[in-house]
Amino acid sequence: MDDLQIIALYWARSETAVAETARKYGPYCRSIARRILRSEEDSEECVNDTYWKAWEAMPPQRPRQLRTFLGRITRNLALSRWEKAAAEKRGGGQVPLALEELAECVPAPDSVERAVDDMALTQLLNEFLGGLPAETRRIFLRRYWYFCSVKEIAADFGISESKVKTTLFRTRNRLKQHLEKEGVML
Amino acid sequence: MKSKRILDALGQVDENYIEEAAPEATPKGKKYRWVKWGALAACLCLVLCGAVFFVNRDAPSSVADANADTGITVSEDGVAIPPANVTLAVPDDVEMCWAYAFFIYQGRCYKGYETVYDDADLIGEYLGTAAGMLDVWTPKEGYVELAGNISGDFYSVKGYDPGFMLCMRESNGAIQIFINDNDLTLKYGADLFEDRFHLSGNFEEVRYQTRASWYNSTDEIFTLEREAEPVVDDFVAALNQGEFMRTADIPLDEGQHSIYDKEIYHVTFCKNDGMTITLRLLEGGYVHFGTYFGGTCVKVDEKAFNTLIALFDSGEAAKAD
């Protein structure tokens, strides 16, 4: 079933919408949740919550890309769960590593700095990503959006792990420079 | 934490970038051909839970928490699964809940099992009309005969006991199957797989998936060839002879924190009538039936179990392109 048909089922409030979503995008959402949560039980609940959120969102929304729409919900829900787990010292997985790496991108304090809201920060990130070569962008997002390990990325792109690490390192530096150039304060 | 702000903001970046970076659904350079058993029409790979809906985190969401809370008791008669404690009401301390599509008929709770999409000849006699009616505000006394979170005419399923299985016709022509997996006692595997599902001799394709594929959602699914039939038949016989037990009683080996640390395979039987039965095979001979019959599994003779696993491990019985 194509995405437009699935979205139409949501708008028609047909129960089949959820079954079709689970069938087509369940594995995609599960893989996002698992990388963040590392717990099968939590991931399964997170994916189920994703369907619930999708049911609440459609209507009124009509996502242009259903897969990304669902993936984004899963990622947000999983990160919230991860945060709670981390507060209880049950975190782990790729998220703390990704956070540690991204700390390198935080701009150094400067006299011309300005505080940006989340929307503006996303806009700056979009500009930054748009300026990257496609493969670099994909590697960067594979690591910090999908939380794939360096090993997984290397295998998927057919490159060495050291090349992945170097690419990520350079891209983080570029991001830091980009944010500093914009005078951003986080 | 400042880096968390970047992580969160990245979550909202242009969807085209996210789509572009999405991991491949299947591993590169390896594709597997489906090998049919007999003249099989499109036996679609269906998710077990079918069209499921709102809500009840009181119910076990996984085998890991399916323990004494489920109220399952063990006696000489077998494993007794108590009546489903269904409620759509959201507990105060829970943000959101979830459960199955369900309705109540003759005092039994029928849960959504799967949706059959091809032209399966499954719809039997008209038995009634589920009224829907229930939502998160319905008090407990509203959970009456024919109430549920789904509405529509329901029917018996040809060849199956209506005390176990019912179905509804979806507006798109698909058939939604419901099963009653609670308020019953199961002693042997045959009580479920033969008496209720009529598995032996009624399946035309068997698929399996490795733990890595299941865990990483790479959909690396193999279909057994006909030469595997004797091994599969032995396994089904052992499954029928195996005794039910509580999943919580599965012994863990040293270093294992949950049953998910065990080697896991998933095997799906595609039945002649279009339905599927997906079983989770846990190292040591334990067979668990997805999210149904919560908190129970069948302990299968290890010889038959391991022979089937060895077949999976060897990859010999599945033809690859």
Side-chain angles (χ1 to χ4, degrees):
Chain A
M1 187 176 283
D2 69 33
D3 288 358
L4 287 178
Q5 288 174 303
I6 296 176
I7 293 165
L9 288 172
Y10 276 102
W11 276 68
R13 311 314 282 160
S14 163
E15 293 85 356
T16 313
V18 174
E20 290 294 346
T21 303
R23 199 160 71 95
K24 191 167 179 184
Y25 294 122
Y28 172 74
C29 293
R30 231 173 345 263
S31 66
I32 293 171
R34 280 174 180 154
R35 286 195 183 96
I36 295 171
L37 294 169
R38 292 205 317 170
S39 151
E40 194 51 39
E41 303 94 288
D42 286 352
S43 302
E44 206 52 51
E45 284 188 12
C46 189
V47 172
N48 282 342
D49 289 352
T50 300
Y51 303 148
W52 167 268
K53 287 269 187 195
W55 179 264
E56 281 187 321
M58 294 182 284
Q61 294 195 54
R62 276 191 197 275
R64 278 196 309 135
Q65 294 183 26
L66 184 59
R67 181 162 86 145
T68 313
F69 175 79
L70 295 165
R72 216 195 286 267
I73 295 173
T74 305
R75 184 182 187 272
N76 289 342
L77 289 170
L79 282 174
S80 298
R81 269 176 187 264
W82 175 85
E83 223 166 354
K84 278 184 196 165
E88 296 164 13
K89 314 273 186 221
R90 294 187 291 108
Q94 295 295 323
V95 180
L97 298 174
L99 282 170
E100 206 177 305
E101 292 164 17
L102 284 176
E104 296 168 17
C105 308
V106 176
D110 190 278
S111 57
V112 293
E113 67 194 17
R114 63 187 172 102
V116 290
D117 62 22
D118 292 342
M119 202 180 285
L121 182 57
T122 298
Q123 185 52 39
L124 286 171
L125 289 172
N126 274 330
E127 287 168 14
F128 170 73
L129 292 169
L132 293 176
E135 181 166 286
T136 304
R137 182 169 58 233
R138 288 176 61 214
I139 290 172
F140 187 79
L141 287 175
R142 197 66 82 79
R143 176 73 183 136
Y144 301 114
W145 203 96
Y146 288 100
F147 299 101
C148 293
S149 66
V150 167
K151 192 175 178 181
E152 279 179 282
I153 299 170
D156 279 0
F157 285 78
I159 55 178
S160 68
E161 289 183 38
S162 61
K163 180 161 185 205
V164 174
K165 284 180 188 168
T166 308
T167 304
L168 290 172
F169 176 73
R170 286 183 179 152
T171 312
R172 289 196 300 269
N173 276 342
R174 284 180 67 175
L175 175 57
K176 183 181 181 183
Q177 287 163 13
H178 180 73
L179 295 175
E180 284 180 342
K181 196 176 80 187
E182 296 295 327
V184 167
M185 181 180 73
L186 293 175
Chain B
M1 192 192 298
K2 291 176 177 177
S3 52
K4 179 70 170 41
R5 273 201 73 197
I6 299 177
L7 205 67
D8 289 339
L10 274 171
Q12 304 307 316
V13 296
D14 191 316
E15 60 189 2
N16 292 317
Y17 298 149
I18 302 167
E19 186 63 30
E20 171 192 68
E24 298 283 337
T26 49
K28 286 175 182 170
K30 246 185 169 184
K31 287 182 180 171
Y32 297 93
R33 188 157 61 87
W34 299 88
V35 184
K36 306 290 184 187
W37 279 13
L40 173 67
C43 178
L44 300 178
C45 181
L46 304 172
V47 288
L48 243 184
C49 55
V52 293
F53 258 12
F54 319 104
V55 180
N56 175 13
R57 214 168 262 176
D58 291 344
S61 57
S62 70
V63 290
D65 55 7
N67 47 33
D69 294 345
T70 61
I72 293 171
T73 55
V74 185
S75 71
E76 279 186 2
D77 297 333
V79 171
I81 304 171
N85 179 23
V86 180
T87 174
L88 299 178
V90 183
D92 292 341
D93 58 341
V94 175
E95 280 177 23
M96 200 182 295
C97 288
W98 187 263
Y100 303 85
F102 75 93
F103 62 92
I104 299 164
Y105 174 58
Q106 294 190 339
R108 301 185 192 97
C109 175
Y110 288 83
K111 294 179 183 174
Y113 173 65
E114 71 173 0
T115 307
V116 181
Y117 290 86
D118 54 2
D119 298 327
D121 181 24
L122 289 171
I123 296 184
E125 181 191 356
Y126 167 77
L127 295 176
T129 302
M133 303 192 298
L134 299 185
D135 58 32
V136 295
W137 297 283
T138 311
K140 270 213 156 168
E141 51 271 27
Y143 288 70
V144 296
E145 185 72 4
L146 300 178
N149 58 359
I150 186 165
S151 59
D153 295 344
F154 59 86
Y155 306 82
S156 62
V157 180
K158 285 183 183 172
Y160 294 87
D161 178 1
F164 170 59
M165 187 183 289
L166 297 172
C167 68
M168 281 187 186
R169 171 77 80 180
E170 293 273 326
S171 55
N172 63 1
I175 301 167
Q176 194 175 356
I177 305 292
F178 294 82
I179 60 171
N180 168 40
D181 71 342
N182 57 87
D183 197 10
L184 44 82
T185 299
L186 299 166
K187 171 81 170 166
Y188 297 105
D191 296 345
L192 175 60
F193 299 106
E194 287 312 310
D195 297 353
R196 290 174 170 83
F197 272 113
H198 316 309
L199 179 61
S200 293
N202 289 315
F203 54 89
E204 50 196 358
E205 188 173 83
V206 179
R207 301 168 182 169
Y208 70 92
Q209 189 177 16
T210 62
R211 184 186 196 285
S213 168
W214 168 71
Y215 196 80
N216 297 316
S217 301
T218 52
D219 288 339
E220 197 174 337
I221 296 167
F222 299 82
T223 300
L224 293 178
E225 292 184 279
R226 186 173 285 278
E227 66 199 61
E229 207 168 332
V231 175
V232 174
D233 287 345
D234 284 351
F235 171 79
V236 171
L239 178 66
N240 287 330
Q241 288 160 18
E243 286 199 44
F244 269 91
M245 61 180 281
R246 297 193 324 163
T247 309
D249 294 334
I250 294 176
L252 299 176
D253 295 338
E254 200 180 330
Q256 293 180 342
H257 303 291
S258 81
I259 58 169
Y260 292 109
D261 292 327
K262 291 181 176 292
E263 191 58 59
I264 296 172
Y265 282 91
H266 285 81
V267 60
T268 298
F269 292 86
C270 295
K271 294 193 69 208
N272 304 338
D273 56 19
M275 272 190 265
T276 60
I277 298 172
T278 296
L279 305 174
R280 180 174 292 165
L281 275 46
L282 297 161
E283 175 191 351
Y286 303 96
V287 178
H288 179 254
F289 191 12
T291 54
Y292 298 90
F293 304 90
T296 68
C297 64
V298 179
K299 175 69 174 78
V300 173
D301 169 62
E302 283 194 53
K303 190 180 169 202
F305 183 93
N306 291 337
T307 307
L308 183 67
I309 296 297
L311 198 67
F312 295 165
D313 285 341
S314 72
E316 285 171 11
K319 201 170 178 180
D321 282 340

